[in-house]
Amino acid sequence: MTATAEKQVTAQRDASKPITMVAAINEALDQALERNPDVYIFGEDVGIMGGVFRATDGLQARYGEERVFDTPLAEAGIMGMAIGMGLAGLKPVAEMQFAGFIYPALDQIMSHLGRYRHRTRSRFSLPVVVRAPYGGGVHTPEQHADSPEAILAHVPGIKVVIPSNPQDAKGLLLAAIEDPDPVMFFESIKMYRSLKQEVDLGYYIIPLGQARIHREGTDLTLICYGGMVEICDKAAEAAAQAGISAEIIDLRTISPLDTDTLLESVRKTGRAVIVTEAPRTAGFHSEIAAVIAEEAVDSLLAPVVRVTGFDAPYPPFTAIEDKYRPTPTRVAKAMRQVMDY
Amino acid sequence: MSKTTTQTPAGGAEQMPPAAAEAMNKSVLQPQAEGQPEVPMLQFITPEGTLNPDLEGGESRLPDPETQLWLYRQMRRIRHFDERAWVLYRQGKMGVFPPYGGMEASQAGTTAALTTEDWLFPTYRDTGAALTYGLPIKQTVAYWRSSPHGWYMPENLKVTPFYIPIATQYPQAVGAALAEKKKGTRNVAMAFIGDGGSSEGDFHEGLNFAGALNAPCVFILQNNGWAISVPTTTQTKAQNLSRRADGYGIPGIRVDGNDILAVYSVSRDAVERARNGEGPTLIETVTFRIKPHTVADDVTRYRPEEMTAGWDEKDPVRRLRAYLLAQGTLTEESEAALLEEIHTEFEEAVAAADSLPDPTPAEIVDHVFAEPTPQLKKQRAQIMEENGA
């Protein structure tokens, strides 16, 4: 964080209000539009409707149809257009209605969004932000609950940010919009309205690439992000009753990954449990496990354990949905496993 | 025609079954299918180099002689590059290069309608378009040598690197065009694609977005008959690709892509329409890829030789040359001087490209982000160490 940015954060601390994460995102977009005339928001239903989750609610009314506008329904088109706008020096903030709908746009992302700076040796950068609701927990229909963050984190040239609470969501989104490079911004659908938190009213940024110690502890480290922070919180709370002190690292940005913060914690506790709701094989959790194995194996008192979804499409079946998505109970089991090793 | 007819037995095209060869020949040379009305193809100058007698408005439709000569110069210049690139490849001084020989009118005629304030989105086969727009030869040679020096796109131009994935540039051109409109300029974006690319989803999304958002875009569809080994008739049942514009509510124009005076005229009109806020246009330039897909491709495996001969007679350079000579706009002497000038320019540019230093291994991880991530810094250090830097 720059000194100026730090000052901005400090300056606004005294004024805050309790709001949900989706409200915090709306506030960030509002402030970005107000502050930077190059910011444009577009996607499907983001205009008069204000987005299916109301993240862009009221923005078109306030900033007009030139700056907040609906597009035809086509994800590759939306992504390609964002790239073109970014090439021409604007700051596009595109919405993918659900992260599970990103797949048609993957060619644009992988072929161009991530490599434009590289293939023009910085003649063109793509200051594009793509917002996408992701993850399960709210009984959505088929294909609305995917967690494809590992796919995106694997693409060179793209940053992947996943906030877990309102205060972070606002500051991280504003940082993403300030960033000169492409940022995929995943928003946990479950977290949109599940908690309210005091959020600074003014403009502030939280630098990308910095993890946050969500809860301090000494016996083991829970590594998570987005919707899983809440789950880990509950598991850590229960474990505390049994005398186990869990530290929770909320990564906030998975690419670039803040390895320093997570390794420092693992070296301190000697045990690591990684929790995501994405499918198990080749998930981002596997990358974290590999980093720990390479850098902190000498500190480990137990093998690293992953708690994840399964190698199956996310089930849209209400009665069994919570058997796919990690629960505090499953996290607690993994915590016992590393403690009892 | 079924896909299987494009397969040839081992040993090459000379063993292609006569029926298949005939079908392929017909597919390109006589492209009208039953039940599909023919869309007129605008032509100013006939393949013989005379004014098209059916041209409404006659000579008044042609650009002035000075412009005609200038367009001829553009074609000769990019033809020289195309021919020399092939030689350089054989000498090991050029990487795999996708030639555009035969398509000079389609590339120079379209791009000549732009200024460098406008955007150009070329595909890998559009080196001629990029050169006409203003991409320096030295840079272009470096690019096709796979040197990072060819990747430093000039700051004073709005040309993107050659697109390798097909059709992705259409929605991107819409974004650039829309951005210009939002910034209040009169600048436009021109994007290229081939007949094969018009099968891609992004082609359709781009056209639809451009129409829906009234983006100042000019889409060039170079129908050169082939997508590597697949002829247009195998590509699609549609016979008139320009009509695809109808589905998106935008004008679609079909023009003789080997007639640069016609190509230039429709391109200039489309650019003007876009500048005036009248929206996008799709231009289908009906042309032919005389040369193989790339310098490494064996075209004889899939294309009967007589087809090439048929189209060679429609050579866009030869056509305008015949017209200009007949009009006295060009003489043997002035042409010789022009060719000498082009030759010198090219040799100097190649010599300049030759003198570019080799890249250093650390450049592999440069220019990924504005600020390298901790991971990239670490990987850069690893490269330096492994390479004794």
Side-chain angles (χ1 to χ4, degrees), chain B residues 43-71:
Chain B
Q43 185 186 74
F44 286 6
I45 304 292
T46 66
E48 293 72 37
T50 58
L51 183 72
N52 176 6
D54 298 330
L55 179 65
E56 210 177 306
E59 251 180 57
S60 69
R61 297 282 296 278
L62 304 186
D64 61 63
E66 197 185 335
T67 306
Q68 293 172 18
L69 198 56
W70 177 74
L71 289 168

Side-chain angles (χ1 to χ4, degrees), chain A residues 37-60:
Chain A
D38 287 341
V39 170
Y40 288 82
I41 290 174
F42 53 90
E44 205 215 344
D45 303 311
V46 301
I48 191 163
M49 184 173 167
V52 291
F53 292 105
R54 307 290 180 265
T56 55
D57 201 21
L59 298 178
Q60 188 179 64

Side-chain angles (χ1 to χ4, degrees), chain B residues 82-132:
Chain B
D82 192 68
E83 287 173 348
R84 290 290 293 141
W86 195 288
V87 176
L88 289 175
Y89 172 73
R90 294 267 185 266
Q91 293 172 344
K93 292 179 176 176
M94 190 90 158
V96 170
F97 174 75
Y100 51 81
M103 296 164 64
E104 289 87 352
S106 171
Q107 301 207 355
T110 46
T111 326
L114 299 177
T115 76
T116 51
E117 288 302 305
D118 299 312
W119 288 87
L120 177 66
F121 290 78
T123 78
Y124 53 81
R125 198 176 306 289
D126 302 318
T127 299
L131 287 166
T132 306

Side-chain angles (χ1 to χ4, degrees), chain A residues 40 66 74 76-77 80-81 84-85 87-88 90 107-108 112 116-123 157 181 257 295, chain B residues 151-155 157 160-163 168 171-172 175-176 182-183 202 205 363-364 366-367 369-370 375 378:
Chain A
Y40 288 82
E66 269 300 308
M81 197 176 82
M85 290 172 74
L87 285 176
L90 299 184
D107 175 35
Q108 289 286 349
H112 301 292
Y116 229 106
R117 176 185 290 281
H118 194 70
R119 67 195 287 264
T120 62
R121 311 316 274 172
S122 295
R123 159 67 177 95
D181 289 306
L257 178 64
E295 305 280 342
Chain B
W151 286 27
Y152 286 93
M153 302 308 284
E155 294 283 341
L157 300 179
T160 63
F162 301 104
Y163 278 75
T168 50
Q172 294 179 17
K182 287 185 184 296
K183 289 194 287 190
D202 278 358
E205 294 190 22
E363 285 193 53
I364 291 169
D366 287 347
H367 299 287
F369 292 108
Q375 284 77 10
K378 212 170 158 183

Side-chain angles (χ1 to χ4, degrees), chain B residues 19-284:
Chain B
E22 191 189 328
M24 289 170 70
N25 200 19
K26 191 178 172 189
S27 71
V28 176
L29 294 177
Q30 298 166 7
Q32 297 312 314
E34 254 179 77
Q36 295 190 34
E38 183 175 358
V39 172
M41 185 170 76
L42 185 68
Q43 185 186 74
F44 286 6
I45 304 292
T46 66
E48 293 72 37
T50 58
L51 183 72
N52 176 6
D54 298 330
L55 179 65
E56 210 177 306
E59 251 180 57
S60 69
R61 297 282 296 278
L62 304 186
D64 61 63
E66 197 185 335
T67 306
Q68 293 172 18
L69 198 56
W70 177 74
L71 289 168
Y72 182 68
R73 180 194 183 88
Q74 306 310 315
M75 280 200 293
R76 289 311 300 240
R77 184 171 178 266
I78 65 175
R79 170 155 296 185
H80 186 80
F81 184 100
D82 192 68
E83 287 173 348
R84 290 290 293 141
W86 195 288
V87 176
L88 289 175
Y89 172 73
R90 294 267 185 266
Q91 293 172 344
K93 292 179 176 176
M94 190 90 158
V96 170
F97 174 75
Y100 51 81
M103 296 164 64
E104 289 87 352
S106 171
Q107 301 207 355
T110 46
T111 326
L114 299 177
T115 76
T116 51
E117 288 302 305
D118 299 312
W119 288 87
L120 177 66
F121 290 78
T123 78
Y124 53 81
R125 198 176 306 289
D126 302 318
T127 299
L131 287 166
T132 306
Y133 170 86
L135 192 66
I137 296 172
K138 168 185 152 185
Q139 165 119 29
T140 314
V141 170
Y143 180 90
W144 287 116
R145 281 181 183 176
S146 297
S147 158
H149 297 291
W151 286 27
Y152 286 93
M153 302 308 284
E155 294 283 341
N156 61 334
L157 300 179
K158 289 166 159 181
V159 57
T160 63
F162 301 104
Y163 278 75
I164 305 300
I166 303 291
T168 50
Q169 66 273 30
Y170 260 39
Q172 294 179 17
V174 175
L178 202 65
E180 294 291 347
K181 187 172 148 187
K182 287 185 184 296
K183 289 194 287 190
T185 74
R186 281 167 53 81
N187 304 331
V188 310
M190 181 180 278
F192 282 74
I193 204 172
D195 47 308
S198 75
S199 300
E200 292 271 8
D202 278 358
F203 167 81
H204 299 276
E205 294 190 22
L207 289 187
N208 189 46
F209 271 59
L213 300 163
N214 206 42
C217 257
V218 179
F219 298 110
I220 309 298
L221 195 175
Q222 296 187 93
N223 184 351
N224 70 8
W226 298 90
I228 308 188
S229 70
V230 178
T232 313
T233 41
T234 303
Q235 194 69 238
T236 175
K237 195 168 183 178
Q239 292 297 325
N240 298 301
L241 299 179
S242 64
R243 291 200 60 201
R244 292 191 168 174
D246 297 352
Y248 306 106
I250 69 177
I253 295 168
R254 194 157 182 262
V255 62
D256 184 333
N258 287 13
D259 173 3
I260 193 167
L261 301 188
V263 170
Y264 175 67
S265 172
V266 298
S267 302
R268 209 187 37 187
D269 289 351
V271 166
E272 203 50 33
R273 283 189 68 249
R275 285 203 207 292
N276 293 336
E278 293 166 59
T281 307
L282 174 68
I283 299 173
E284 178 192 4

Side-chain angles (χ1 to χ4, degrees), chain A residues 312-330:
Chain A
Y314 190 95
F317 315 116
T318 307
I320 54 168
E321 180 180 352
D322 66 359
K323 304 297 178 193
Y324 182 96
R325 196 171 186 258
T327 57
T329 310
R330 276 175 62 198

